[in-house]
Amino acid sequence: MIVSDKQDFPVTQARRDLEPGPVVLLSCRHAGEHDIMTLGWHTILSFSPSLVGLMISGGNHSHRLIRASGVCGINVPSADLVDTVCRVGNTTGREIDKFSAFGLTAIEAERVDAPLIGECHVCFECRLHDDTLVAGYDFVGPVAVSYTCRVGDRKSVETRRATPYRDPG
Amino acid sequence: MIVSDKQDFPVTQARRDLEPGPVVLLSCRHAGEHDIMTLGWHTILSFSPSLVGLMISGGNHSHRLIRASGVCGINVPSADLVDTVCRVGNTTGREIDKFSAFGLTAIEAERVDAPLIGECHVCFECRLHDDTLVAGYDFVGPVAVSYTCRVGDRKSVETRRATPYRDPG
C-alpha cells in the first residue's frame, strides 16, 4: 500500500471523486480515541459550499466519535485496497485499533482535528454542518468539505480506480 | 428500448440496485403535468423501512411536481440508455414533454400517483417521508420506497448493467 505526499485541490471538485458512489473510509478522532469505518451510503449535496451527506448507522463506533468531535475525514480507497476495506467494515473500533490492526497510516488533517488515511488516494476534511437529521435517521449531514487533498502525484492518482460498491446480499 | 411486464420484489432489497450509485431517472406527475429528470445525487438511508434520500435542485421542473404531489418514481436505466439519460438531463420539462420527446413509455405505478418508465429495468415507487431538509438544501427525503418492480424477467434484468455516474467536469 502506497503513502505519498498530499496535494490539495478545490473543494468544489469533491463531486468528481464522490459522485460515482465509491465505497469510502471515514476516519475520526475524539478524546484520545480514533477509528475508521467503511461507508457506502453517502451523496453529494451541494457544489458550493461543498456539502456531502453521510448515512452512518448509530451502531457504529465512529458514529459516536464523529458526533462528539463534529469532524471527520472521507477517504477514497482505490480498488487494490478492497480486502482492507472489507476488514475495516467487518470489525468494530470498540475492540481494535483499526489503524494498527490493518496497517493503515494516520496522517494529520490540515483544518480539522481528525486523522486521514495515507493509503487512500483522495481525502476530504469535513466538518458537521447541520445535524437536523441525525436524531431521526442517523443521517450525518450535510457535512461541509473544508479541504481536499490527493495523496500522490496526479498521474498516479488518476490511474487508481476507486473501490466500487457491490453488495452481494 | 425494451418494455416488458413488471415483476415485484421486496422493498428491503432496494439497496441492491441503488447502492452502487447509478444514475437514475426520476418520474413524477402533478395536476396534469408529468416530467422526468436525471439524478446522480442520491443515497440509501435505511433498510427497513426502505428509505432513500434524493438531492433534487430546486431549479428542476420535477422538483416542483414532486414537492406538490409528494410522490415520484425512481427508475434505474441500463447503460444502453445512456444517450437518452443525457438528453433527459440536458432538457427541461418546462419546455418539452420528455416522455414523448424521448420515446419513453409511461407505465402506471401501483401505489402512488406517478408514472414509471417502462424502458428502465428497475422501478421504485416512492412517497415523501420527511421534508425537513427540503427548505434549506433541496434534499428531498427521506422518501419511503413503497413498492418496487423489475421490468422484464429476472435473467434479462440481471444482465442489464445500470448506467454508472461519471462526471467529466
Side-chain angles (χ1 to χ4, degrees):
Chain A
M1 294 192 285
I2 304 163
V3 181
S4 311
D5 289 340
K6 292 190 293 178
Q7 300 175 34
D8 68 314
F9 68 103
V11 293
T12 51
Q13 289 184 26
R15 57 189 299 237
R16 292 187 60 176
D17 290 286
L18 294 181
E19 277 172 346
V23 169
V24 299
L25 295 174
L26 299 185
S27 51
C28 56
R29 177 168 61 208
H30 179 69
E33 283 186 275
H34 55 207
D35 196 25
I36 312 172
M37 70 170 282
T38 299
L39 183 84
W41 294 4
H42 57 81
T43 182
I44 289 278
L45 294 174
S46 164
F47 294 119
S48 181
S50 182
L51 299 175
V52 179
L54 307 171
M55 181 64 216
I56 308 172
S57 169
N60 285 286
H61 187 59
S62 290
H63 184 273
R64 186 173 66 75
L65 302 187
I66 294 171
R67 286 284 284 145
S69 68
V71 298
C72 67
I74 301 175
N75 308 271
V76 183
S78 49
D80 57 292
L81 295 175
V82 65
D83 289 343
T84 300
V85 168
C86 291
R87 289 186 194 111
V88 168
N90 288 327
T91 51
T92 174
R94 286 188 197 86
E95 296 169 2
I96 61 169
D97 176 334
K98 297 193 192 180
F99 277 100
S100 62
F102 303 120
L104 293 171
T105 306
I107 56 177
E108 279 307 300
E110 303 280 335
R111 305 189 188 183
V112 300
D113 183 16
L116 301 175
I117 301 172
E119 286 76 8
C120 290
H121 61 291
V122 176
C123 307
F124 301 99
E125 303 186 8
C126 305
R127 186 177 303 281
L128 183 57
H129 183 74
D130 184 335
D131 65 358
T132 305
L133 290 189
V134 173
Y137 302 99
D138 291 341
F139 185 72
V140 177
V143 295
V145 178
S146 61
Y147 184 75
T148 64
C149 62
R150 296 180 188 278
V151 175
D153 63 275
R154 179 167 297 274
K155 187 173 177 187
S156 75
V157 164
E158 287 178 353
T159 61
R160 292 171 70 182
R161 196 166 58 87
T163 308
Y165 200 123
R166 180 55 66 190
D167 175 48
Chain B
M1 294 192 286
I2 304 163
V3 181
S4 311
D5 289 340
K6 292 191 293 180
Q7 299 174 34
D8 68 313
F9 70 102
V11 293
T12 51
Q13 290 185 27
R15 59 188 296 236
R16 292 188 60 175
D17 289 287
L18 294 181
E19 278 171 345
V23 169
V24 299
L25 295 174
L26 299 185
S27 51
C28 54
R29 179 167 58 207
H30 180 67
E33 283 185 276
H34 56 208
D35 197 24
I36 312 173
M37 69 169 281
T38 299
L39 183 85
W41 293 4
H42 58 81
T43 182
I44 289 279
L45 294 174
S46 164
F47 296 120
S48 181
S50 181
L51 298 176
V52 179
L54 307 171
M55 181 63 215
I56 308 173
S57 169
N60 285 286
H61 186 59
S62 290
H63 184 273
R64 185 173 66 76
L65 302 187
I66 295 171
R67 284 286 284 146
S69 69
V71 298
C72 68
I74 300 174
N75 307 271
V76 184
S78 50
D80 57 291
L81 294 177
V82 65
D83 289 342
T84 300
V85 168
C86 291
R87 290 187 193 112
V88 168
N90 289 325
T91 51
T92 173
R94 287 188 197 85
E95 297 169 1
I96 60 169
D97 176 333
K98 297 194 192 179
F99 278 102
S100 62
F102 302 120
L104 294 170
T105 306
I107 56 176
E108 281 305 304
E110 304 278 334
R111 304 188 189 183
V112 300
D113 183 15
L116 302 175
I117 301 172
E119 285 76 8
C120 290
H121 60 292
V122 176
C123 306
F124 301 98
E125 303 184 8
C126 304
R127 186 178 302 280
L128 184 55
H129 184 72
D130 185 336
D131 65 359
T132 304
L133 290 189
V134 172
Y137 303 97
D138 291 341
F139 185 73
V140 177
V143 297
V145 178
S146 61
Y147 184 75
T148 64
C149 62
R150 296 181 187 277
V151 175
D153 63 275
R154 179 166 297 274
K155 188 173 177 187
S156 75
V157 164
E158 287 178 352
T159 61
R160 292 170 70 182
R161 196 166 57 86
T163 307
Y165 200 125
R166 179 55 64 190
D167 175 49

